[in-house]
Amino acid sequence: MPHAAQPSTAAAAHAITTSSPFPAAAVTVATPTISSLTPTQGPAEGGNTVTLTGTGFTGATSVRFGTTAAAFITVSDTQVTAIAPAAPAGPLSVTITTSGGTSAGISYTYVAAPVLDSVAPAQGPLAGQNTVTLSGTGFTGTTSVRFGANAAISFTFVSATQLTAVVPTGGPGPVAVTVTTPGGTSTQAVSYYYLGAPVLNSVAPGSGQVSGNNAVTLTGANLLQASTVRFGPTTAAPSAIVSATEVRATVPPGVSGTVPVSITTPGGTSNTVTYLYLGVPVIAGLVPAQGPSAGGNTVTVTGSGLTYATAVLFGSVPAGFTVVSDTQLTTTAPPGVLGAVTVRVVTPGGTSIGVPYIRVGSPAV
């Protein structure tokens, strides 16, 4: 049987070479663009994570902060996360490179860590709530102020060198105060002392003249750094802070009667104890107003302010006495020379004006 004619080899080759006369099209990759950084600033020591948002990030080969390459992870074509390398404080450009080229730079600022120099006042009550002033440098952009482990109740940015903060509650003793900004956290050893409220147990002596100016000793606890001692409505500065349990003060003038006494420190104001202002005693009369020079007889003294009598004097000679009431006491006249002698009553409120008592001789036989 006859076979069909086969195409020649040349013809077959011609068919193959003429089936696709045009070369394949080249693939174009767009240059990446960065639209934003989050955050836009960070500490000079680096180590923080920065998120780059934009387009064309697929196949990224490098992320640079200035001229320094950073470790990074491509999250998607529109997002990359990078670990900021260390750099001197100040701004620089962040760029990303792909096979399509290198993006335009976007600014990132390295910030030096804040420096805290002082806190004033440097002590306060356990309950907090008081306002303190922090001084130093690099406070711009402050995000946190802490007293030990506790964040300040609130803080206010005044300037790059000053903040004010409301102190939180704390336990007794010192805590470290720190300031945090995008540049990091301050590392200086600046302490704030939480102080227990003062406790007042006694004031001695517990009474004195209305004119004041007499010295008293206050005893209790937590009395260090006492700033004022209050006698009723009147304040006085401590004359001496002897220890945490003892303070001395000079009593201010007052009016007759009992007043509360308290003491104030940076830890707060104490409970109160009482102090008695006494007027100068007054002698209205003596019954009898005369007696034998040998003494030994009972004399009744009437007047006012006699309750706290500490002495009855016949001239300069003290006599035994018994307080009956604020208006009366009895005394035993001491022996003395014939004639008049001045009788006075002494109390913490002062010494009375004297009244005469006459010593007479025994009648002739």
Side-chain angles (χ1 to χ4, degrees), residues 64-86:
R64 290 184 176 274
F65 285 67
T67 59
T68 305
F72 70 94
I73 296 174
T74 302
V75 179
S76 68
D77 190 61
T78 60
Q79 188 178 97
V80 163
T81 59
I83 304 301

Side-chain angles (χ1 to χ4, degrees), residues 205-272:
S207 59
Q209 62 268 28
V210 293
S211 60
N213 204 40
N214 54 306
V216 294
T217 297
L218 299 94
T219 57
N222 301 329
L223 305 184
L224 289 176
Q225 302 183 58
S227 56
T228 58
V229 179
R230 182 175 289 274
F231 290 77
T234 308
T235 59
S239 57
I241 299 173
V242 180
S243 68
T245 61
E246 182 178 328
V247 168
R248 295 171 187 167
T250 300
V251 179
V255 295
S256 295
T258 299
V259 297
V261 179
S262 63
I263 193 165
T264 299
T265 74
T269 298
S270 72
N271 58 300
T272 61

Side-chain angles (χ1 to χ4, degrees), residues 206-207 258 276-278 281 305-311 321 323 325-326 329 345-350:
S207 59
T258 299
L276 178 63
Y277 280 104
L278 295 171
L306 306 181
T307 298
Y308 298 95
T310 57
F321 67 93
V323 174
S325 68
D326 192 62
L329 61 78
V345 173
V346 179
T347 75

